Amino acid sequence: LAGLVVGLALIPESIAFSAIAGVDPQVGLYASFCIAVTIAFFGGRTAMISAATGAMALLMVTLVKDHGLQYLFATTILTGIIQIVAGYFKVAKLMRFVSQSVVYGFVNALAILIFVAQIPELARMNLTGYFFVGLGLLIVYLFPQIPKFGKIIPSPLICIILLSLFALLSGAEMRTVSDLGKFPDTLPIFLIPDIPLNFETLKIIFPYAITLATVGLLETMMTTTIVNEVTQTEADRHKECRGQGIANMVSGFMGGMAGCAMIGQSIINVSSGARTRLSTLVAGVFLLCLVVFFKDGLTYIPMAALVSIMIMVAFTTFNWDSVKNFSKHPKQSNIVMLTVVIIVLATHNLALGVITGVLLSALFLVNKLENAVKVQSELFNNSTRKYTIHGQIFFSSSSKFYQFFDFNESIENV
């Protein structure tokens, strides 16, 4: 049931991300299907959703514009190879350098981006559309309170079904999922990118592939951390890296673009009660079946239903504790969190925000350790001086450490 909700929610996002990258809707839809199904078998974090994402789509714009679609497929395959290598070399261990304040900043920025992404759709709506969005939010929040049924059936699925029926019976005029673009007519087929296999091609695609692989793994590891916290379970990060690589290779060979884990969809999945790989598999298969075989049925699903679900995701993703207890948190942690949020919102680049946050955390830590060096000095019988040292001595604190000692003192023993 959770997978069905995610499958429906993936359709508008996959199409939107295809538009960002400058490719046909089917490229994003095929990618989401291939990645979700593959990661269900090869991933290391159960119940997490991976598909085409906005962060990855933004990095493909110039590649598609300058070199075309075939080069995008080749880059996607190379991205997968790099991620598989990263998984075997256990690059995910670097996640231990990401502080809690960076994670909070990342999550809060993403929640704001998810909400902001709904504004263009809200701007197109009339009063009927706003009424449907409000009704959808009420269903999403109130349905879980119903005894027995509330916990069994995911409230976003009920929201989609009820609003679709209501729109159909009332004959309300509003945008539906089918208005987003032309859906594919066939299943994806295996293809080898039609490009020259030489060093010149490698020079073109390698820089894009490295960037895509880095951003993809970073976003995936951050999502893994959040899903771990929500489900109170641990995941195999190295297996997840390899799984993402395999999924991107499959996507490239099947006419899709590169993708990674999605925080918004993963939150929908686990908050709907999913805990196993089945939900991820169902999401991918259901997405493809909907757009290829049952696309006529999509004409009944109002965009208002999906907008209300994504607004709910934005509110549940945001870490409200970071705002509520802002004054109680250390000043340095707040600065790191706010910096990550500002950079991500300004650039729409989650990786840049996280890297800046990690560097800022490191600088604060170095400053803290530098000031943590303490030396106590005692004189015995005017002939012996005893120094007692506390703290960390390293390149940054060494100069301060040096200042504690009196080298000109006339003393017999130190």
Side-chain angles (χ1 to χ4, degrees):
L1 292 173
L4 298 182
V5 177
V6 173
L8 285 165
L10 277 174
I11 294 170
E13 295 209 350
S14 300
I15 295 168
F17 299 148
S18 298
I20 290 169
V23 296
D24 289 337
Q26 73 176 38
V27 176
L29 290 164
Y30 283 167
S32 294
F33 159 70
C34 292
I35 294 169
V37 170
T38 308
I39 209 75
F41 292 98
F42 295 101
R45 168 69 266 177
T46 57
M48 194 160 78
I49 302 296
S50 294
T53 63
M56 299 287 269
L58 284 167
L59 302 171
M60 304 169 191
V61 177
T62 52
L63 174 66
V64 174
K65 194 174 166 186
D66 297 342
H67 302 285
L69 194 58
Q70 296 298 320
Y71 278 84
L72 174 62
F73 297 152
T75 305
T76 300
I77 294 164
L78 184 56
T79 298
I81 293 169
I82 293 167
Q83 289 178 329
I84 291 169
V85 172
Y88 278 109
F89 278 95
K90 301 191 173 178
V91 173
K93 283 183 178 178
L94 295 173
M95 272 303 291
R96 66 180 184 271
F97 295 111
V98 179
S99 66
Q100 195 71 36
S101 48
V102 174
V103 174
Y104 287 161
F106 176 86
V107 168
N108 291 347
L110 196 78
I112 294 166
L113 285 177
I114 290 170
F115 181 78
V116 169
Q118 310 313 309
I119 292 174
E121 192 60 44
L122 285 166
R124 292 191 187 99
M125 290 181 184
N126 52 22
L127 283 173
T128 308
Y130 293 135
F131 171 73
F132 269 72
V133 170
L135 191 60
L137 287 170
L138 281 174
I139 293 168
V140 167
Y141 281 104
L142 296 178
F143 186 78
Q145 315 302 323
I146 299 172
K148 295 182 182 178
F149 291 109
K151 299 295 179 186
I152 297 171
I153 305 170
S155 59
L157 182 60
I158 296 296
C159 171
I160 290 168
I161 292 168
L162 289 181
L163 289 191
S164 299
L165 287 171
F166 189 31
L168 180 66
L169 295 171
S170 65
E173 286 291 321
M174 62 178 69
R175 272 167 60 84
T176 65
V177 174
S178 61
D179 292 325
L180 293 171
K182 188 176 181 294
F183 293 120
D185 300 308
T186 58
L187 295 170
I189 54 168
F190 181 83
L191 60 87
I192 294 172
D194 184 17
I195 56 169
L197 298 174
N198 55 33
F199 186 67
E200 287 301 314
T201 300
L202 186 63
K203 278 201 325 191
I204 292 168
I205 67 173
F206 188 72
Y208 286 103
I210 281 284
T211 310
L212 285 166
T214 305
V215 171
L217 289 181
L218 196 54
E219 193 161 345
T220 297
M221 291 303 102
M222 298 294 279
T223 308
T224 303
T225 301
I226 290 154
V227 175
N228 285 353
E229 285 184 10
V230 172
T231 60
Q232 295 295 301
T233 57
E234 271 302 313
D236 185 340
R237 294 177 186 274
H238 309 305
K239 187 180 178 183
E240 184 62 37
C241 288
R242 298 194 296 273
Q244 289 291 332
I246 295 166
N248 278 322
M249 282 184 70
V250 171
S251 177
F253 280 123
M254 302 295 276
M257 57 201 239
C260 62
M262 307 178 80
I263 291 191
Q265 307 301 349
S266 298
I267 292 288
I268 291 177
N269 201 38
V270 295
S271 62
S272 296
R275 292 294 180 272
T276 68
R277 298 173 183 276
L278 185 62
S279 56
T280 312
L281 179 65
V282 167
V285 173
F286 184 57
L287 163 71
L288 191 73
C289 290
L290 269 178
V291 297
V292 176
F293 304 118
F294 305 110
K295 54 187 170 190
D296 292 340
L298 297 176
T299 56
Y300 301 114
I301 300 174
M303 280 302 296
L306 296 176
V307 168
S308 59
I309 291 169
M310 294 313 291
I311 290 173
M312 179 273 290
V313 169
F315 275 88
T316 52
T317 302
F318 196 91
N319 187 282
W320 295 102
D321 179 68
S322 62
V323 176
K324 195 166 62 176
N325 295 319
F326 189 82
S327 58
K328 295 177 185 174
H329 291 159
K331 192 184 294 181
Q332 293 174 340
S333 295
N334 289 335
I335 291 169
V336 170
M337 191 262 289
L338 289 172
T339 303
V340 173
V341 171
I342 291 165
I343 288 176
V344 171
L345 294 181
T347 64
H348 285 224
N349 189 330
L350 295 164
L352 189 63
V354 170
I355 291 166
T356 306
V358 169
L359 290 174
L360 202 55
S361 296
L363 287 172
F364 283 140
L365 177 64
V366 166
N367 185 57
K368 187 178 177 182
L369 291 175
E370 185 182 329
N371 294 322
V373 178
K374 297 283 186 289
V375 177
Q376 290 174 318
S377 172
E378 294 175 89
L379 184 65
F380 297 98
N381 302 323
N382 291 322
S383 62
T384 301
R385 182 165 295 280
K386 180 185 176 186
Y387 293 99
T388 308
I389 301 148
H390 303 273
Q392 298 288 329
I393 301 172
F394 67 116
F395 69 90
S396 179
S397 65
S398 59
S399 59
K400 188 167 185 179
F401 169 69
Y402 182 84
Q403 292 167 11
F404 283 108
F405 300 92
D406 183 0
F407 293 101
N408 297 314
E409 187 179 23
S410 181
I411 208 88
E412 285 181 31
N413 305 304
V414 175

